[in-house]
Amino acid sequence: IKFAVPCIANFAIAPLVGAVDLFWINRMKNPLAVAGQAASNQVFSSLFWLSSFLPSVTATLVAQKKAEDDVDGIQTAICNGLFVGFIIAILSSCLIFFRPERVLSL
């Protein structure tokens, strides 16, 4: 259960963020703003699901190294998770910046 709660919370974040964003944007009573929010929410959701494996895998590796009392292994697992997340963020940011029409058409 110690692993389940963080993983469940990780997967519950995206729908909650989308619902809250839509609630506040919809209060502006502007259909174009809602349409723009829907498009940006789709991009955010797609990128979230492409990288959602990262916290689950990193938490499992950290827990395994902690059980072995391997402090260097814990630091390596965290650094690897941060590095992979950074690479995903840079690549997706470049894609969105240089090819927004392609990203929005997916």
Side-chain angles (χ1 to χ4, degrees):
I1 190 104
K2 290 181 182 180
F3 294 120
V5 173
C7 289
I8 291 169
N10 177 44
F11 290 119
I13 289 173
L16 290 175
V17 168
V20 170
D21 287 345
L22 184 59
F23 172 78
W24 289 106
I25 295 294
N26 196 31
R27 292 180 61 120
M28 293 173 24
K29 307 285 189 215
N30 184 345
L32 290 178
V34 174
Q37 173 58 35
S40 67
N41 191 34
Q42 185 61 39
V43 171
F44 173 77
S45 178
S46 298
L47 292 175
F48 175 81
W49 289 114
L50 286 175
S51 63
S52 66
F53 70 93
L54 201 53
S56 301
V57 172
T58 303
T60 304
L61 292 174
V62 168
Q64 180 183 19
K65 297 301 179 184
K66 176 68 175 163
E68 298 170 358
D69 283 334
D70 183 5
V71 176
D72 290 333
I74 293 171
Q75 291 175 347
T76 301
I78 292 171
C79 287
N80 288 342
L82 289 172
F83 179 74
V84 171
F86 179 73
I87 294 300
I88 291 171
I90 291 296
L91 291 176
S92 59
S93 294
C94 287
L95 183 64
I96 290 171
F97 184 76
F98 292 113
R99 297 287 205 158
E101 66 284 343
R102 176 139 172 107
V103 173
L104 290 175
S105 69
L106 294 175

